[in-house]
């Protein structure tokens, strides 16, 4: 059973809190995964009563369950930079404690703009609401992404944090890591000798990691225009996927050992400034819906050169992967939205059984992350009625098909893990540091952005650049 | 386009000819795969007119196509041991030739009892209807199984045949080889490095070949009681599947090279007389239908000890397979009917991610031959919501699902190949010889038969003997 605790959600009136965090907590409640004494304190600037805040939330289907969930949820008004508001918060916690609710185990979930992180932790620490070594219970701080906007700023933020907290109190979110299939990557890799044996430069031709979205930056223009695809996607999600795909088997499944192996991979990643394609979408149509030109989106700067698409070829220059290119590509406003990792093995020599083009298709293992999480394997078999010529086909496995349920939402798992104190799915400082190092190097190349119409598969140059 | 020829079906009024051969020829006709000049001469003992013979056949659905097919089919009465009947047959062929039908390319398909093979070929040869080196065209003789009933009789029969014909005129049928997926085995093995790389004793734990039937010997008691499962199934189908699974890559896809590699495997097969389980079914129920006790079947000898089930553990004692057991099991009147080959690879060491029983499931590649031809791969993935424990699941590929058609009947392919002169799917003398050598050794062990009720999965002893 989960431990009793208090979850303090900072930025509680924001989209993230209302659309993801609170619903995830509600689902955990509905499933009986929250301790009955656990309370949620929604913290934000606006003056709201509990009832007013409750009304802003999207209820879950079961009315009874929703009503019982709301009994856990209180609202607390707080201006992030106002000291007296923190004192009031401290008073409220003391009052809860006096009312018989243990408040010694505290989750501080910072779902605010990253700019507010230093102020909030500084104040929490100063007023002894959150600190390094509580006598009783524990204090944990969850930081939503992005963690910095380059190596230097991330380093600055981290220095602030480590001044106040131990690394093991720090939970840096990269929501992709909550996905079942990404965790599954380690199990898939290390418990299947048939794959594991070929998982190296001797047998792998190349690796592709694709993370394509149909959504445009609609509504998020201001944030996105300052970030771009390299910072918004490559620095966190994609390099995390790369690390999980390439890493050695850890000594144990402890968070520390897994983090160590991921960092070890990221340390060896080499950037080639000539192997980068960037793009920016223009007006177009996706599923018959018109999409505005990126530069005309609200919040986007005039003549912006921010990339909404990025394709890069990286090398993991270590013993296992030397010479194997890793192609990462990601973009917004694309024709199709999906995320997958494909390991393309070297194909068999065309000695017998090959087709008219005198080539055999390679074996390809694809791990589909979304939608329809699953695994598929491209292999060759004989075409029906043909004489010994090999044709590639796929065998597959889908989670949905077998479990008849959707995979659990990322945030439910992440919040459970924070309450459990399991940092495996969160990124360590080392990972953040080396991911920024790579991302800074990619950005430093200052590759001009190519235009691509919304609803296409990306810039033409990327098509030439990326393997099938 | 297929060559024009004359197909002479001996034993044309038998079940095999009427249920399989003629329908296969009709299908080839329907698909336009027969040359328009090709004729079928149905040869048998009973006095029938063409029309009477036509009536005994099972028409295909399309009446027009069936009518046009029948125009190719004539009946010829012939007593296998009556010389003058052969002279009449020779006359008939001459008459056809005179009528403008080229009869220089002749397929003699012996769908008779094996006892008649020597007489028929002796007579055909003596009267110069079929002979070793025709000046024009070609003469090919197709022998239905079984080819002999032990090594000695097979050897005797083969001596007869090779006295009269070249090996390359001889087509020994093993109908399993006509199945698409069995041919596919070679393509599957040699064009997929991911499987090929692990296809040896270093990585394979064991191989199982299962060929289970729900049908009892009903109606075939007299034949079957003299044969038994070892001769009826193991000697031909199962050892062929073993050879295809274990063989090295041939130099070319020529029949000769493939035959050579299969013989090379069969030569190294070792029989352990202590690793044999035989069974005989007693009364029982299959799909709610009562099945008669084997010993009470018509044609079965009183107190018969003929095996209707056999499970054997063989070793292929060569460089690739030393130490890897091959389990072959086959039986009649069983609970389920299916045929498949499973390669069970050695499992990963239980270092991380293993379940409660401290073991990881092995990777298993299963090639399903019937029903639902396809391929499936057992692999480990993480159980949903679990913490890093691996659970075996399957990804699969089925021919039906993708092609939306049934795989072509074995005989269509076999007959096409005879007309083309492709002996790949037929068994060479070397294969027959070494298969009988193995089968004789298995029979010599004189293992007592265990009883098992019809509709069960076989004798209890076999359950202990065979791996999962």
């Amino acid at each position: 059973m989960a431990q009793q605790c208090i979850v303090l959600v900072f930025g509680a009136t924001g989209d993230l809190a209302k659309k993801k965090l609170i619903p995830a907590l509600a689902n955990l409640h509905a499933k009986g995964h929250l301790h009955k004494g656990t309370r949620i304190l929604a913290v934000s600037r606006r003056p709201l009563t509990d009832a007013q805040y409750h009304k802003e939330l999207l209820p879950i289907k079961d009315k009874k369950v929703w009503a019982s969930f709301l009994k856990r949820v209180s609202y607390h008004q707080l201006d992030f930079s106002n000291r007296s508001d923190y004192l009031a918060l401290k008073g409220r916690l003391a009052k809860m404690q006096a009312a018989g609710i243990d408040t010694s185990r505290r989750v501080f979930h910072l779902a605010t703009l990253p700019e507010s992180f230093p102020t909030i932790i500084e104040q929490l620490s100063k007023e002894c609401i959150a600190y390094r070594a509580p006598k009783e219970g524990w204090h944990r701080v969850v930081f939503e992404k992005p963690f910095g906007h380059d190596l230097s700023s991330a380093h600055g933020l981290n220095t602030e944090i480590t001044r106040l907290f131990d690394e093991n109190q720090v939970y840096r979110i990269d929501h992709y890591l909550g996905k079942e299939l990404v965790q599954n990557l380690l199990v898939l890799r290390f418990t299947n000798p048939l794959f594991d044996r070929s998982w190296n430069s001797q047998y792998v031709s190349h690796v592709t990691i694709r993370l394509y979205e149909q959504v445009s930056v609609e509504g998020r223009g201001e944030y996105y225009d300052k970030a771009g695809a390299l910072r918004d996607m490559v620095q966190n999600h994609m390099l995390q996927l790369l690390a999980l795909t390439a890493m050695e088997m850890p000594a144990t499944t402890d968070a520390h050992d897994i983090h160590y192996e991921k960092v070890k991979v990221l340390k060896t990643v080499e950037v080639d400034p000539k192997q980068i394609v960037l793009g920016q979408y223009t007006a177009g149509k996706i599923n018959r819906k018109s999409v505005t030109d990126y530069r005309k989106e609200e919040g986007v700067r005039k003549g912006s050169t921010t990339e909404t698409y990025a394709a890069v070829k990286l090398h993991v220059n270590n013993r296992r992967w030397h010479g194997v290119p890793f192609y990462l590509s990601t973009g917004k406003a694309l024709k199709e939205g999906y995320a997958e990792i494909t390991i393309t093995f070297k194909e068999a020599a065309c000695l017998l059984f090959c087709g008219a083009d005198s080539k055999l298709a390679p074996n390809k293992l694809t791990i589909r992350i979304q939608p329809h999480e699953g695994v598929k394997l491209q292999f060759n078999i004989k075409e029906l009625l043909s004489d010994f010529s090999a044709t590639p086909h796929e065998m597959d496995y889908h989670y949905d098909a077998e479990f008849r349920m959707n995979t659990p939402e990322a945030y439910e798992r992440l919040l459970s893990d924070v309450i459990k104190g399991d940092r495996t799915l969160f990124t360590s400082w080392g990972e953040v540091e080396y991911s920024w190092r790579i991302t800074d190097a990619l950005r430093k190349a200052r590759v001009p952005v190519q235009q691509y119409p919304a609803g296409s598969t990306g810039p033409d140059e990327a098509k030439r650049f990326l393997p099938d």
Side-chain angles (χ1 to χ4, degrees), chain A residues 424-441:
Chain A
T424 313
L425 300 181
F426 298 84
T427 45
S428 66
W429 165 242
E431 293 166 72
V432 174
E433 182 182 8
Y434 284 97
S435 298
W436 274 124
R437 194 161 289 200
I438 296 162
T439 309
D440 283 2

Side-chain angles (χ1 to χ4, degrees), chain A residues 10 28 89 123 130 157 160 200 217 246 258 279 293 296 325-326 353 412 420 430 464:
Chain A
F10 285 73
L28 288 173
L89 175 61
Q123 295 286 356
L157 172 58
E160 268 309 290
N200 57 57
V217 300
I258 294 175
D293 187 321
K296 290 182 182 155
F326 282 69
F353 316 123
E412 292 178 41
K420 271 191 246 167
R464 288 187 291 274

Side-chain angles (χ1 to χ4, degrees), chain A residues 277-385:
Chain A
V277 176
L278 300 180
Q280 187 186 69
Y281 67 82
T282 55
K285 282 197 173 194
I286 300 173
N287 292 341
R288 295 183 188 172
K289 243 185 86 181
S290 290
V291 176
T292 315
D293 187 321
Y294 174 73
R295 294 190 182 176
K296 290 182 182 155
E297 286 283 0
E298 207 190 307
V300 170
R301 287 162 296 187
K302 252 195 178 161
S304 164
T305 57
T306 298
E307 77 284 0
T308 61
Y309 179 98
V312 304
K313 179 178 173 181
L314 299 176
H315 277 93
V316 178
N317 211 357
N318 64 17
R319 187 177 162 89
R320 183 185 285 270
W321 294 112
H322 183 78
V324 179
F326 282 69
Y327 293 93
L328 277 50
S329 54
T330 183
K332 289 201 180 291
L334 295 175
K335 191 181 174 190
E336 287 177 286
Y338 64 90
E340 61 186 30
I341 301 169
T342 298
I343 316 296
T344 302
F345 297 94
K346 290 176 182 167
E347 72 269 22
C350 170
L351 302 172
L352 296 178
F353 316 123
C354 15
D357 59 346
S358 296
K359 248 188 101 91
L360 283 168
N363 288 138
K364 281 186 188 187
L365 183 71
T366 298
I367 299 128
R368 172 68 73 125
I369 298 161
Q370 61 178 33
H372 309 305
E373 304 186 10
V375 184
K376 63 184 179 183
L377 178 67
Q378 176 178 291
F379 69 113
N380 291 302
I381 46 169
K382 197 178 77 70
E383 203 59 272
L384 271 183
L385 289 170

Side-chain angles (χ1 to χ4, degrees), chain A residues 16-37:
Chain A
L16 179 67
K18 290 200 289 190
K19 286 189 185 161
K20 303 261 171 147
L21 278 173
I22 302 291
L25 288 163
N27 285 336
L28 288 173
H29 166 82
K31 289 171 186 166
H33 291 174
L34 291 184
H35 187 284
K36 67 175 165 33

Side-chain angles (χ1 to χ4, degrees), chain A residues 90 193 336 423:
Chain A
K90 194 180 181 178
E336 287 177 286
R423 295 173 65 242

